[in-house]
Amino acid sequence: MKIHLFSRIATLAIALVLTACAAPGPQPGSMVIRQGKIEQITPTTIRSEAHTGVGAVLGGITGVGLGSLIGGGTGRDVAMVAGAIGGTMAGAEIANRAAQSMPGQEVFVRTDSGVLVEVTQPIMHDLRVGQRVFLQGSGHQTRVIPQ
């Protein structure tokens, strides 16, 4: 029974590690370049993308390890599960707090097709209102680049 429960917890931990480390790669043909004119630039703060998944997994594994040191039998199994849950939550919170912020800018661009696009990116000092620019990429990866 103990080995069966431990193997299930280990399988879950491995699945969480693999899921947390997975990142979507670039899709072939996904690079989109549009043209437009900057209408507004607003200073902002960009919070770095914390790897909360990694923190959660490491916390969960630590929690299971600590829980296995407590008691025996069914109580030990309960302690391991509680340790996994508590460690996962604590690890994710620690990873979130460790995220660094950096100065950035929200750039509002009116594309040649008339659509208003807002891009948040690190500060580029050579951008100004009224300037013609390229919008490079799509979705979260879009960047404003001077023409």
Side-chain angles (χ1 to χ4, degrees):
M1 174 74 177
K2 291 180 189 178
I3 293 174
H4 185 66
L5 178 64
F6 183 73
S7 67
R8 284 187 177 190
I9 292 173
T11 303
L12 178 62
I14 290 171
L16 288 172
V17 168
L18 294 175
T19 302
C21 294
Q27 301 295 320
S30 66
M31 181 56 69
V32 176
I33 298 178
R34 295 166 286 175
Q35 294 183 15
K37 189 178 199 180
I38 296 177
E39 289 194 357
Q40 179 181 343
I41 300 175
T42 306
T44 189
T45 301
I46 301 173
R47 193 177 154 116
S48 71
E49 295 180 14
H51 297 287
T52 58
V54 175
V57 169
L58 292 176
I61 292 171
T62 303
V64 168
L66 292 175
S68 69
L69 301 175
I70 298 173
T74 305
R76 182 179 187 179
D77 295 341
V78 171
M80 288 172 62
V81 170
I85 293 170
T88 299
M89 292 175 11
E93 183 61 29
I94 290 169
N96 271 335
R97 290 186 183 188
Q100 300 292 321
S101 296
M102 62 187 281
Q105 59 190 168
E106 291 177 334
V107 183
F108 293 86
V109 177
R110 178 78 58 187
T111 65
D112 291 345
S113 63
V115 176
L116 185 63
V117 177
E118 183 271 331
V119 177
T120 301
Q121 66 183 27
I123 292 178
M124 289 187 66
H125 295 288
D126 53 346
L127 295 178
R128 64 187 185 289
V129 174
Q131 181 179 14
R132 296 278 306 158
V133 293
F134 291 116
L135 289 168
Q136 182 180 14
S138 61
H140 182 67
Q141 301 298 323
T142 303
R143 293 291 172 251
V144 178
I145 300 174
Q147 279 190 353

